[in-house]
Amino acid sequence: MRATTRAIVVASTVFSLLSPLAAQEAAAAGTAQVAGPDARIVRDGYGVPHIYAATAGGLFFGQGFATAEDRLWQADLVRRTATGHLAALLGPGDGDNNIGSDEFFRLYSGGANGLAHTVATLDAGTRTAVTAFVHGMNAEIAKATREGSLPVEYAGVGATPQQWTAQDIVASGMLMAWQVGASGADELSNAQSLQDLVSRLGPADGQAAFADAHWLDDPSSPTTIPQAAELAASPAAHPLAARPTTVTPQLGPGASMLAAQRLASAVKQARTLGLGGPGHSNAIALSGRLTSSGHPLLLGGPQVGLSVPQGFMELSLNGAGFDATGVTLPGVPGVLIGVGFDHAWTITSGGDDNEDLYAETLDGASHPGAYRFNGQWRSYDCRPEVVDVAGASAVTFPACESVHGPVLGNDGATAIALRDAPRALIGQTISAFLSMDRARTLDQFVTSAQRIGTGINVTYADTQHIAYAHVGPVPVRPASDNRFLPHPGDGSDEWLGLLPTSQLPLSIDPAQGWLANWNNKPRPSWANSSDGFWQWGPVQRVQAITRQLNRLAPHSATRATLEQINRLVGQTAETPPGDESVVVAPALINALLAKVRTSDDPRLAPVVSQLWRWNLQRVDQNHDGAYDDPSVSVFTAWYTTFVDQVVVPVLGPAFAVGGYDDNTTANIVSRLLSGSSAALPLSYGYVHGGSLRSAVTGSLVSALGTLTGVFGTGDVRAWLTPDVMTTWSQLGAGSVAQTPFMNRGTYNQIVSLDSAGLVGENVVAPGQSGDLRSPHFSDQLALYASWRYKAMRITQADVLAHATSVECVHDRVQPL
């Protein structure tokens, strides 16, 4: 049994703390002992907390305290979602979505007992960080309760914040790891798509079209680690064309429906939290051979949801071996993206297929509560879960696990179970990020990063090197496995382990002098079987970045260069504008233009000439509410019409039953335009024996007619697309004005890594605080909306020179 006492003191001056702070750093190095506060929280002019402490316990107490000060309501929504207790606070939600989400995360987390087991298995250093973080959160909750300064949202729902526990931190980490780095649980939708295609097109053509839309490895996909010429020139076999593609095993409709509903509820709720979906981040590292200083540069652009507050919170951790400035997700300890001792790093979602859905056979009459596995009936491990619902009756359901993982749905004949590799590795993941925050060398950093247990890309730069590591668990599956359809749960299709760390993609100082990632393929021959966005093909939005990097002259780049590249990439026209994942023009426009027969219509020649000259930007430089170049409208209408006339009749409309998302569609268009020279030639005849040139030309003629009707004139100069605006979704009571849409990180950092010292700039819009009463609630919104940045305060001297407040916080925990 332990007794806890805490004291909180607010310092009145900044400069009187210079000596104690220096003494704390000395203590962290083992040269002195310091009496006094466990942590000092020094805030700069944008309200960013810089936390100094001599011990890890003090440091993470300070982080927890600062997190609760700035983002308590947001962190509470995250932990309630992650632990499956959101409906108890906010009610059932639209369409009972909160209940469905709570059910999923009770299953995914293992419930209270599962989370307690995970906490018990944390290593000592991680347990210290987690425990101290919890103490800090609770200390600030107690302080705010006494002072009447709790977030106003609690009064709005008639509730008060509950005490935080270590299980809450672990659950929050699991949610974030699942959202950022878990992919592939799409077998049910794939099976539905295959059934639709076969029913509409017949068995042979339906399977051919399904194969076109599902591939493992396209050698023409742009990669972060440079392509080897021999690999790029060697076409790969179509992975599904060589064998029958059938919907096996038979799936119980009730099991499939419930599993799909729970998964959909969880995804929807994670997006409501401002975490967004996986696959929305970019990164650039430039080596010294391309920079004016002769030292590397790094740009990090992680993208989460555009919310108020946004998913990222800025801070720095200083002391006890930690030296990191950057951002984290509220509710977990450590800095996830930022600047370290003499280096900087960023992360993007990796996209590996590390989740599978298994269809397990049930026989409720003869073997109740059991499933068939390896020739035997095995009992499920079940527990009752009760989901409390504000304003409604509680929902009780059985939470069961098989050898594969949590059962998402069953109907008495079939159960759908989720096997998820990151789920069991959350303790290792938290530990790995904390180790990255302490790294002093490239080798230490890479070794730490490769322990991360969820699928992400890490891009790194120090004063001499640039590096890229694709990390996380990659299941090794049997050669006979069909990776796209539900897996038989009878033991015949089990994982053979995880890919060894030594086989994960890693690049250090590539000869080309740069590394770039926008959730694209890591390296040549890297297979992936997640559907939709994560199917890497010849069209991928990273091409908007690489076309800029390929223009760089040696020894020319500065931070201003990366600012300009970030802006040019973020303004490259999406199709349609505002759809951040569909940046197809860089890869497709030339191929489409080359197939236009301008003699078919007198309007075609001038329009084609205009599109050849287009710089692919969508900008509104005169601020009249519309993009300046009509090419934005023309290309959008043309490409959309071509897809609607040629691809949609086969695959179905995007995101409809049996339909495909826009990334899959764009890659099919690219292969269609490439014909027999495509790395993966198509199996289905989309133009049905007609002329591809006629289809391309006819779609442009149709698009011109549509635009004439929409704008009421045939004058192409008047065809200006209205500006797309971003509405920042509210997580609480506060709101902000709309801003122009930008396809960029919600957090951006640009760092120059000169040997004389690191210099960084960043922006975390709308602001540091989630409290609408704070001056830092939206003080970075104007910076973000105008492509500007603020200085990162990295050194202690710089922090103190710009400090606006200092808080001294104590956490005294002593055994009775």
Side-chain angles (χ1 to χ4, degrees), residues 197 200-201 209 212-213 639-654 658-673 682 684-688 692 695:
L197 288 168
R200 288 191 293 107
L201 306 177
D212 286 344
Y639 175 78
T640 302
T641 301
F642 180 78
V643 167
D644 286 344
Q645 292 180 351
V646 176
V647 181
V648 168
V650 179
L651 298 185
Y660 289 85
D661 82 348
D662 293 326
N663 177 66
T664 303
T665 300
N667 281 287
I668 287 179
V669 169
S670 176
R671 295 181 180 120
L672 184 60
L673 294 172
L682 296 172
Y684 185 83
Y686 292 82
V687 294
H688 304 287
L692 179 60

Side-chain angles (χ1 to χ4, degrees), residues 244-588:
T245 304
T246 56
V247 183
T248 56
Q250 289 296 316
L251 302 177
S256 299
M257 182 176 296
L258 180 56
Q261 287 173 345
R262 283 172 168 165
L263 274 167
S265 293
V267 170
K268 181 179 178 181
Q269 182 54 35
R271 290 176 177 168
T272 301
L273 292 174
L275 297 180
H280 302 288
S281 305
N282 57 29
I284 299 171
L286 303 181
S287 75
R289 61 180 292 224
L290 291 176
T291 68
S292 63
S293 68
H295 296 280
L297 292 164
L298 182 132
L299 178 144
Q303 293 171 273
V304 291
L306 292 159
S307 61
V308 188
Q310 72 151 285
F312 290 116
M313 167 188 164
E314 189 176 1
L315 77 156
S316 73
L317 298 173
N318 311 274
F322 289 85
D323 187 353
T325 302
V327 292
T328 190
L329 297 169
V332 294
V335 171
L336 304 182
I337 296 169
V339 175
F341 178 69
D342 69 346
H343 58 269
W345 78 98
T346 189
I347 64 175
T348 66
S349 293
D352 288 318
D353 184 358
N354 50 30
E355 294 182 304
D356 283 344
L357 292 177
Y358 281 83
E360 298 171 344
T361 299
L362 308 179
D363 179 6
S366 302
H367 303 89
Y371 61 101
R372 193 75 171 167
F373 184 77
N374 283 345
Q376 297 180 335
W377 291 99
R378 301 184 59 159
S379 297
Y380 282 108
D381 181 8
C382 296
R383 65 186 186 277
E385 288 283 355
V386 179
V387 176
D388 292 324
V389 184
S393 300
V395 175
T396 301
F397 73 100
C400 298
E401 291 217 17
S402 72
V403 67
H404 300 114
V407 175
L408 301 185
N410 75 81
D411 58 6
T414 307
I416 303 298
L418 171 67
R419 187 165 191 186
D420 178 287
R423 177 176 181 249
L425 300 174
I426 185 57
Q428 180 178 310
T429 298
I430 296 173
S431 174
F433 275 106
L434 294 175
S435 182
M436 289 161 61
D437 290 345
R438 298 191 300 270
R440 289 294 187 270
T441 67
L442 170 60
D443 287 344
Q444 289 176 357
F445 187 91
V446 170
T447 299
S448 300
Q450 288 180 329
R451 293 181 56 243
I452 292 172
T454 193
I456 61 173
N457 305 291
V458 182
T459 304
Y460 166 101
D462 61 28
T463 57
Q464 301 298 324
H465 305 286
I466 62 173
Y468 162 84
H470 183 82
V471 302
V474 180
V476 178
R477 298 177 174 88
S480 59
D481 172 61
N482 188 320
R483 302 190 186 186
F484 299 105
L485 297 177
H487 305 269
D490 59 4
S492 65
D493 195 16
E494 299 303 299
W495 294 356
L496 305 178
L498 299 176
L499 199 68
T501 299
S502 60
Q503 296 183 32
L504 294 175
L506 174 66
S507 177
I508 298 174
D509 296 329
Q512 68 184 13
W514 54 264
L515 291 161
N517 184 271
W518 205 353
N519 312 112
N520 54 287
K521 188 174 183 173
R523 64 163 171 79
S525 300
W526 190 257
N528 190 300
S529 50
S530 292
D531 191 24
F533 177 82
W534 289 117
Q535 294 192 118
W536 295 312
V539 180
Q540 216 282 341
R541 61 185 183 177
V542 74
Q543 289 152 317
I545 298 177
T546 57
R547 69 195 294 262
Q548 301 296 333
L549 298 181
N550 284 323
R551 298 170 179 171
L552 289 178
H555 303 298
S556 65
T558 64
R559 279 188 291 119
T561 305
L562 285 183
E563 290 178 7
Q564 177 69 358
I565 290 175
N566 195 34
R567 184 165 188 164
L568 290 172
V569 169
Q571 294 173 170
T572 299
E574 310 83 13
T575 309
D579 188 340
E580 62 187 16
S581 65
V582 189
V583 187
V584 304
L588 295 180

Side-chain angles (χ1 to χ4, degrees), residues 78-128:
V78 169
R79 67 126 168 213
R80 281 181 170 273
T81 298
T83 58
H85 289 86
L86 186 67
L89 181 71
L90 300 182
D94 293 340
D96 290 340
N97 191 78
N98 293 346
I99 296 174
S101 174
D102 280 355
E103 290 177 351
F104 175 85
F105 286 109
R106 296 282 183 97
L107 291 162
Y108 187 78
S109 69
N113 289 340
L115 291 170
H117 172 75
T118 301
V119 170
T121 61
L122 296 175
D123 63 72
T126 304
R127 189 179 299 113
T128 294

